[in-house]
Structures are given as C-alpha cells and as structure tokens.
C-alpha cells in the first residue's frame, strides 16, 4: 500500500466568524477600592517583581484568587444564548467591586474592560461588546481580581446552549490539558515539564497548542518575568521552588496553532478560523507539590461546575 496520503482537511468551522459589536464606555470603580499603580496611567511598568512570594503575599493571593474564582462562577451562571459579552462584563465587574476588588484588566495597558471574553475562534483577549452569544457558541471568560495588593487570575470556557460535540470535546480536553500541566508542578521540577505534559495530553487529538501567549508569574504584579510556555521548550529549564506563583492557561486550537490579531490590537483569532478553548488557574508551588489559589469560597470551581454533562470530567489527576 502506498504511504502517500492526501493532506487531511478539517471540516469547516461549525459557525460563522465572530463579528465585533460595539464597545461600551469604561466602567468605574469607587475610590474606596484600592487599585494597582497602572490603573491611572495604563502602564504597568517593567516586570521587576520577585519569583518567590512571602507568606503574607500568599495569604493575600488566596483571597484575590477566591474573588476571581467566585466572580468567574457568577459570570458563568449568566452565560446563555442572547446575553451580550458586555453584560457578562458588567456582572463580573460588579461582583469584583462589591467584593472590594479592582478588576485587574481595567486600563491594563489600555484595555478598557473588566474581563476578557473570547468566543469560538477567538483565542484570547476578546473585548466584551454588544455582540450577543449565540446558541452553539463557546466562550472563554478570563477574570483577574486585584485585592490585598495582589492579583488572582483564572478563566474557563463555557458552552452556550446546545454545542456540537466536537467543540464540547475541545473544551473538555483543554480543561484536562490544563490539569495535566498543573499535575507536574512540584519543587525542583523544571518549567519545561509543564508544557511537555500539556502537549502530550492533546497530541492524540491533533490539536494546535498556542505558542505566542503563555502562562506568567503573578503576585503584586499582574504579569511578572516568569514565563510558563504551554508547549515543550527544553531551554526553559528554570527550577520550580516553593513560594513561586504563576498561571497555567493553555489555549488549545481545534486546527493549527497559528494566530492572527484583529485591528483593535487586542482580539487574537486562530488564523484558520477553527475554534479555540482555554482554562486558567493561578498556582502556588508548595513544599510537596502545588496548591490552586483560584478556588471558590465553596463548592467546585467553574471548570467543574459548568462541565458538559455528556462528556463528564476526564482524568483530573
Ligand atoms: N487575564 C489575562 C491573562 O491570563 C490577561 C489579560 S490582559 C488584558 O494573562 F489586558 F487583555 F486584559
Ligand atoms: Co493569566
Ligand atoms: Co487570565
């Protein structure tokens, strides 16, 4: 038998391309809510923060992580066909502000909203706008809260109404990929093990692992210099040490890993218009392994609460 095979073609994406809506005015935060330095200027400055956090900072990060996780659940409860991403932004904004937190994305490098909402082929940094979610969409909601002087960053991809099985599988496998990455975190592990585990976990499905956007150190700064690729990068052999805090937030594409940027300078799309999913937690390296810092006050996190009942949760280590 000949080894030549015709180039495998993916079926067309199950929905028409996302079209931008109108972006409403920036929401305000009462002056009683403490804000990060960049809130006034839009400029976070350079990534100078230490990689290892103090015990007090870690306590504070559990609070910031809890607010972000609870806000993500509150937003998730409102995801349904017909709701605009700007309405989700309002819900997340009000939740954080009521909890005494500043929505970290607000005026971060000039971003004008309190969440990122990334629908279907949008990979990350979607700007909440007047576009209404449609039956069959998938939407990633990314929430970051600043409180007690530190940030907590978490995201989940939600199913809108009746979602086709291929898309639901992409979402579930992305959730599992995030956990595959998290599960290798322990003292003395090397950073490249995280991306290697994520890549191995999605390899059987032929998905693309996004390379241009990576996980990051987090603490008193939203993004520190610590870099966490979601693909195998043997050069990133930095050793993990107790007290390090960073995000793991793989973006996994149904097709190619290649990306394109919209003219708004923020919205990132897959180049081939295939769908993309993402999940994110903020992680602490402990003496023996890891802790998730972005867990809700009670009950399961958004990624479990809103998981597709048809598929169930696949292998959470
Ligand atoms: N929350 C995103 C992350 O996971 C960052 C959003 S920055 C913004 O790192 F400016 F786009 F809001
Ligand atoms: Co992040
Ligand atoms: Co985030």
């Amino acid at each position: 038998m000949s080894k030549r095979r015709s180039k495998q073609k993916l079926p067309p994406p199950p929905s028409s391309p996302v079209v931008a809506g109108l972006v409403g005015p920036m929401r305000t935060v009462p002056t009683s809510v403490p804000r990060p330095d960049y809130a006034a200027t839009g400029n976070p400055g350079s990534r100078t923060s230490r990689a290892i956090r103090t015990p007090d900072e870690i306590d504070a990060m559990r609070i910031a992580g809890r607010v972000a996780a609870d806000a993500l659940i509150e937003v998730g409860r409102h995801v349904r066909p017909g709701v605009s991403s700007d309405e989700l932004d309002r819900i997340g904004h009000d939740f954080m502000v009521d909890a005494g937190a500043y929505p970290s994305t607000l005026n971060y490098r000039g971003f004008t909203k309190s969440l990122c909402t990334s629908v279907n082929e949008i990979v990350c940094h979607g700007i909440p706008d007047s576009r209404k979610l449609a039956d069959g969409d998938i939407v990633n909601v990314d929430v970051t809260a600043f409180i007690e002087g530190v940030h907590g960053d978490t995201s989940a991809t939600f199913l809108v109404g009746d979602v086709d099985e291929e898309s639901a599988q992409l979402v579930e496998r992305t959730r599992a990929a995030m956990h595959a990455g998290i599960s290798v975190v322990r003292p003395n592990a090397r950073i490249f093990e995280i991306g290697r585990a994520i890549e191995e976990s999605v390899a059987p499905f032929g998905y693309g692992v996004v390379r241009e956007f990576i996980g990051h150190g987090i603490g008193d700064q939203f993004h520190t210099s610590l870099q966490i690729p979601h693909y195998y990068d043997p050069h990133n052999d930095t050793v993990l040490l107790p007290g390090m805090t960073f995000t793991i937030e793989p973006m996994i594409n149904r097709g190619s890993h290649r990306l394109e940027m919209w003219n708004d300078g923020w919205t990132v799309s897959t180049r081939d218009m295939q769908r993309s999913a993402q999940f994110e937690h903020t992680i602490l390296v402990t003496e023996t392994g890891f802790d998730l810092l972005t867990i809700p006050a009670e009950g399961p996190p958004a990624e479990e609460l809103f998981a597709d009942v048809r598929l169930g949760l696949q292998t959470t280590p």
Side-chain angles (χ1 to χ4, degrees), residues 104-116 124-127 142-144 152-155 213-216 218 222-223 247 249 251 266 278 280:
S104 303
T105 61
L106 201 58
N107 207 28
Y108 184 78
R109 300 187 183 280
F111 194 84
T112 60
K113 290 288 158 183
S114 303
L115 316 169
C116 296
C124 62
H125 303 168
I127 305 169
D142 193 336
V143 179
T144 314
D153 190 5
T154 185
S155 87
F213 296 88
I214 60 180
H216 51 92
I218 182 169
F222 190 169
H223 295 100
T247 71
E249 49 179 303
M251 286 139 274
W266 282 107
Q278 181 182 23
E280 175 176 23

Side-chain angles (χ1 to χ4, degrees), residues 124-185:
C124 62
H125 303 168
I127 305 169
D129 66 15
S130 62
R131 181 191 178 277
K132 289 177 172 164
L133 296 176
D135 191 44
D137 282 350
I138 61 173
V139 58
N140 174 272
V141 175
D142 193 336
V143 179
T144 314
F146 176 82
I147 184 169
E148 306 269 335
V150 295
H151 302 266
D153 190 5
T154 185
S155 87
T157 300
F158 301 102
L159 308 181
V160 183
D162 191 12
V163 170
D164 69 280
E165 185 133 3
E166 298 274 336
S167 298
Q169 271 173 341
L170 170 69
V171 170
E172 167 51 26
R173 290 163 176 169
T174 302
R175 191 198 64 77
M178 173 185 66
H179 282 291
I182 292 172
S183 68
V184 304
V185 173

Side-chain angles (χ1 to χ4, degrees), residues 72 140 153-157 170-185 194-195 197-199 201-202 228 230 246-252 277-283 290 292 294 301-304 314-317:
L72 182 61
N140 174 272
D153 190 5
T154 185
S155 87
T157 300
L170 170 69
V171 170
E172 167 51 26
R173 290 163 176 169
T174 302
R175 191 198 64 77
M178 173 185 66
H179 282 291
I182 292 172
S183 68
V184 304
V185 173
I194 296 170
I198 291 168
E199 244 180 20
S201 115
V202 298
I228 314 288
H230 304 115
F246 52 84
T247 71
I248 296 181
E249 49 179 303
M251 286 139 274
I252 306 293
Q278 181 182 23
F279 287 84
E280 175 176 23
H281 273 301
T282 299
I283 319 289
F290 65 86
L292 301 184
T294 34
E303 88 226 26
E304 289 178 26
Q314 290 161 22
T315 60
T316 303

